[in-house]
């Protein structure tokens, strides 16, 4: 379990944030403590009035609100009743057991979590000191509750890993989860764990989660200012909904930040190269008859295949995403035999134009970036395979000076 404590300046905004989640169907208020009315009979203003009445007992205090989030692993069994009980015990252990508070169960992330809103002003007008509370009281409470309820411990694999959900379950679906929070969860899983050395390689990973990082058109304002937008993709790989600015997201996943990551990953990828080569070599021994067949075989080894093709349907590049070893690279980086030209040559020079679109990675492992698509400008060709025989090519005449 991971506990995060913040002390917002506005109680009204904090309460409104959670109530809006409830209104949109992304959360439920599952419990209260210290209120005069039962939960079902209170509206937003009833809740706000109760908090403000308490805060007026000590006016002039800047920090009179506490906002807690308790985050659980996907492996934890968290029924609403259990979450409420854990929230009540946690608040008691950090010294807020007698305070009025509300517990909200949120559904807008890939892991179970609750938010708790409370006031730091006691009934006698004294203020509860929150300095170092996250480091002291909260840590003791977290460890106690982890042991009591058999929860996944934060120390076992670090805070981020404890909250990571399996690859197959993290596809972001527009309209079923909050866009910004959903994209942030995907980036949290991908950015620090995968080895990628360019924006196209990063997008090869992100597209598996229905997310894409877009630097904008070459002549556009965003591209010229080195900006970056994150989009949700629909089932056909098209951008949908309102884009999110990279600079507005946690962790600051801007282009400048990513470029530093690209440089760091360059020094680490040689150690992973051989592992991906071994998977490809073992699959090629089974003599796949087409790129689609190759992609299906690689998927069994947890490797997704990204095909790049032009508007005419001719393939000019291939990228492999090894989700087991967290490595993504172009085929040519692994060796000439693993470039698109080299692979087709091994398949008896069979030319396979991809005329139909396949976007469901779970079935074939094949992702396509078509010509004129949103990411066309991101994808650079590698060893373009030209099916025209050398003997039939027209020789260019030399101009006389």
């Amino acid at each position: 379990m991971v506990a995060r404590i913040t002390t917002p300046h506005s109680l009204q905004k904090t309460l409104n944030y959670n109530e809006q989640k409830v209104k949109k169907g992304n959360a439920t208020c599952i419990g209260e403590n210290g209120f005069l009315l039962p939960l079902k009979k209170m509206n937003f203003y009833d809740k706000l009035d109760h908090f403000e009445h308490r805060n007026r007992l000590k006016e002039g205090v800047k920090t009179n609100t506490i906002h807690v989030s308790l985050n659980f692993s996907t492996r934890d069994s968290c029924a609403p009743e259990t979450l409420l009980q854990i929230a009540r015990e946690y608040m008691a252990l950090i010294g807020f057991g007698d305070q009025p508070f509300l517990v909200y169960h949120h559904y807008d992330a890939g892991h179970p979590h609750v938010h708790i809103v409370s006031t730091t002003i006691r009934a006698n007008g004294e203020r509860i000191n929150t300095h170092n509370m996250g480091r002291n009281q909260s840590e003791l409470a977290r460890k106690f509750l982890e042991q009591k309820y058999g929860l996944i411990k934060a120390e076992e694999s670090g805070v981020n890993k404890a909250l990571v959900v399996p690859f197959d379950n993290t596809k972001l679906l527009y309209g079923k989860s909050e866009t910004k929070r959903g994209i942030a969860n995907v980036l949290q899983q991908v950015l620090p764990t995968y080895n990628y050395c360019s924006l196209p390689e990063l997008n090869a990973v992100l597209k598996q989660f229905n997310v894409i990082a877009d630097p904008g058109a070459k002549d556009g304002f965003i591209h010229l200012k080195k900006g970056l937008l994150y989009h949700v993709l629909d089932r056909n790989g098209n951008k949908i909904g309102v884009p999110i600015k990279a600079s507005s997201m946690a962790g600051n996943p801007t282009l400048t930040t990513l470029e530093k990551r690209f440089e760091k990953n360059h020094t680490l990828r040689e150690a992973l190269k051989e592992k991906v080569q071994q998977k490809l070599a073992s699959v090629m021994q089974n003599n796949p008859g087409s790129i689609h067949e190759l992609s299906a075989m690689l998927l069994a080894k947890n490797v997704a295949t990204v095909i790049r093709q032009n508007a005419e349907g001719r393939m000019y590049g291939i990228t492999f995403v090894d989700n087991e070893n967290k490595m993504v690279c172009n085929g040519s980086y692994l060796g000439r035999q693993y470039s698109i030209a080299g692979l087709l040559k091994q398949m008896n020079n069979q030319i396979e134009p991809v005329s139909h679109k396949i976007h469901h990675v779970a079935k074939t492992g094949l992702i396509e970036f078509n010509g004129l698509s949103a990411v066309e400008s991101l994808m650079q060709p590698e060893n373009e395979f030209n099916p025209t025989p050398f003997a039939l090519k027209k020789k260019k005449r030399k101009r006389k000076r």
Side-chain angles (χ1 to χ4, degrees):
M1 184 181 80
V2 178
R4 294 188 176 95
I5 299 176
T6 59
T7 52
H9 291 292
S10 173
L11 190 148
Q12 183 174 350
K13 289 182 179 179
T14 305
L15 181 62
N16 186 59
Y17 166 79
N18 287 279
E19 288 292 318
Q20 285 297 316
K21 294 281 185 181
V22 174
K23 187 176 180 180
K24 294 178 181 179
N26 295 324
T28 302
C29 188
I30 59 175
E32 53 79 22
N33 185 74
F35 282 78
L36 299 176
L37 296 174
L39 189 61
K40 293 182 179 180
K41 291 187 177 182
M42 286 192 294
N43 58 28
F44 171 79
Y45 296 102
D46 294 327
K47 298 170 185 175
L48 180 62
D49 286 344
H50 190 86
F51 280 129
E52 289 185 338
H53 176 76
R54 176 62 68 89
N55 288 343
R56 282 195 291 269
L57 296 177
K58 194 173 184 65
E59 296 182 349
V61 176
K62 293 183 178 179
T63 307
N64 56 18
T65 305
I66 185 172
H67 192 195
V68 180
S69 69
L70 301 180
N71 303 267
F72 304 87
S73 168
T74 54
R75 289 178 286 169
D76 289 325
S77 178
C78 297
E81 300 80 12
T82 305
L83 292 176
L84 178 58
Q85 183 62 28
I86 291 173
R88 290 186 184 280
E89 292 189 34
Y90 173 86
M91 292 297 281
L93 289 168
I94 66 171
F96 279 74
D98 295 329
Q99 293 296 98
F101 61 80
L102 296 167
V103 183
Y104 294 85
H105 182 197
H106 286 223
Y107 319 123
D108 56 354
H111 62 278
H113 64 293
V114 296
H115 285 233
I116 309 170
V117 181
S118 185
T119 172
T120 61
I121 308 302
R122 297 187 187 276
N124 60 3
E126 293 181 357
R127 178 185 173 275
I128 300 175
N129 184 11
T130 58
H131 183 66
N132 283 335
M133 180 174 285
R135 184 182 303 174
N136 299 327
Q137 298 98 309
S138 179
E139 275 296 282
L140 292 173
R142 175 185 66 80
K143 292 177 181 179
F144 173 80
L145 293 171
E146 283 175 345
Q147 184 175 6
K148 179 178 179 178
Y149 289 92
L151 303 172
I152 300 299
K153 296 180 180 178
E155 294 90 347
E156 287 185 3
S157 54
V159 172
N160 290 336
K161 290 184 179 179
L163 301 180
V164 168
V165 293
F167 161 72
D168 289 338
N169 294 333
T170 52
K171 275 183 174 292
L172 185 59
L173 298 178
Y174 180 74
K176 292 192 176 181
S177 57
E178 184 188 3
T179 299
K180 188 172 183 179
R181 181 66 64 87
I183 292 176
N185 287 337
V186 170
L187 296 179
Q188 179 180 314
Q189 297 179 60
V190 172
L191 296 186
T193 58
Y194 277 79
N195 186 290
Y196 47 88
C197 295
S198 67
L199 199 57
E201 289 185 356
L202 172 60
N203 276 322
V205 183
L206 292 179
K207 194 168 184 184
Q208 298 176 112
F209 302 85
N210 291 343
V211 174
I212 193 169
D214 184 6
K218 288 184 178 180
D219 299 329
F221 178 80
I222 295 175
H223 188 87
L224 295 175
K225 294 295 183 179
K226 293 197 71 174
L228 193 65
L229 299 175
Y230 288 95
H231 292 264
V232 177
L233 301 177
D234 63 17
R235 293 181 179 179
N236 295 319
N238 301 314
K239 292 182 290 188
I240 186 172
V242 179
I244 305 298
K245 288 183 179 181
S247 58
S248 70
M249 303 191 69
N252 197 34
T254 61
L255 191 58
T256 302
T257 303
L258 293 177
E259 286 174 345
K260 294 178 182 178
R261 187 78 189 187
F262 298 159
E263 294 179 7
K264 181 180 179 181
N265 286 344
H266 266 297
T267 63
L268 303 173
R269 63 173 19 203
E270 280 297 317
L272 300 170
K273 181 178 180 180
E274 187 178 351
K275 296 180 179 180
V276 186
Q277 287 174 325
Q278 290 174 352
K279 288 188 177 185
L280 279 164
S282 64
V283 167
M284 290 304 295
Q285 289 178 354
N286 296 323
N287 299 318
S290 66
I291 294 295
H292 286 77
E293 189 176 342
L294 170 67
S295 300
M297 291 180 179
L298 285 172
L299 186 62
K301 296 181 178 292
N302 208 4
V303 178
T305 306
V306 181
I307 294 296
R308 303 193 295 282
Q309 62 181 48
N310 60 22
E312 288 75 34
R314 188 171 64 197
M315 295 178 289
Y316 63 82
I318 189 167
T319 300
F320 300 104
V321 182
D322 188 338
N323 291 298
E324 179 184 2
N325 296 302
K326 300 294 187 289
M327 165 72 162
V328 52
C329 62
N330 288 335
S332 56
Y333 171 75
L334 301 173
R336 294 180 62 183
Q337 69 273 32
Y338 299 126
S339 67
I340 191 66
L343 290 169
L344 291 173
K345 186 176 181 180
Q346 294 178 70
M347 297 172 187
N348 299 319
N349 289 322
Q350 180 178 352
I351 303 166
E352 185 190 5
V354 187
S355 57
H356 59 289
K357 298 180 181 179
I358 299 178
H359 297 284
H360 296 286
V361 181
K363 293 181 180 179
T364 65
L366 184 65
I367 310 171
E368 296 173 17
F369 288 116
N370 301 302
L372 306 179
S373 70
V375 292
E376 179 188 23
S377 61
L378 303 179
M379 298 301 171
Q380 300 298 323
E382 48 157 296
N383 299 331
E384 180 170 342
F385 180 73
N386 193 327
T388 307
F390 179 81
L392 298 180
K393 290 182 179 179
K394 290 184 179 181
K395 295 182 179 180
K396 293 183 178 179
R397 294 181 180 181
K398 293 183 179 180
R399 290 186 178 181
K400 293 183 179 181
R401 295 184 179 177

